Amino acid sequence: KFKGIKLIPPGLRFFHYSCGHGLTQGFFLFFGTNEDATSNYCIEDGPQVYVRRWDADLEMFAVPKRSDYDDDERYKMGVRRMDFDSSLGAYQPQDFVRW
């Protein structure tokens, strides 16, 4: 039922995961506001939503293909309408100090 993470604090965040075969992977995402943006980042208005799809063959999260754009936009709109809220895990602010 888990579909993602919500309430992630601003900044550059590293997402780390393991497939269970000893192989670990990760990727960075930047969360922020227009005030945090530099020429390297384009921050959209409203809550930021990143869509990553699990590729079972490669056992990794993949950036969506252009052909998936419409589906990804529907997911983003669903998140903003809170359609998936009960399936999103909240980022734990008490853990932020450890990071």
Side-chain angles (χ1 to χ4, degrees):
K1 184 155 172 154
F2 175 76
K3 296 187 191 248
I5 304 167
K6 63 182 177 180
L7 305 174
I8 299 171
L12 185 63
R13 301 286 173 244
F14 183 71
F15 292 83
H16 176 266
Y17 58 95
S18 173
C19 301
H21 306 292
L23 177 66
T24 60
Q25 299 183 52
F27 56 91
F28 286 96
L29 291 176
F30 179 79
F31 295 86
T33 64
N34 286 324
E35 293 144 9
D36 301 324
T38 67
S39 60
N40 297 324
Y41 299 105
C42 177
I43 306 300
E44 57 192 56
D45 291 332
Q48 289 171 266
V49 178
Y50 293 96
V51 176
R52 296 293 182 268
R53 296 179 188 273
W54 181 253
D55 185 319
D57 294 330
L58 298 174
E59 293 189 333
M60 65 180 287
F61 285 100
V63 175
K65 301 173 189 156
R66 285 187 183 260
S67 59
D68 297 328
Y69 178 79
D70 289 340
D71 283 343
D72 294 343
E73 287 303 307
R74 281 194 289 276
Y75 283 124
K76 288 180 180 184
M77 292 304 297
V79 169
R80 290 185 178 118
R81 286 189 313 258
M82 302 187 83
D83 294 348
F84 308 113
D85 200 55
S86 64
S87 299
L88 297 175
Y91 184 91
Q92 300 298 312
Q94 67 271 18
D95 292 337
F96 184 68
V97 175
R98 287 189 334 179
W99 302 48

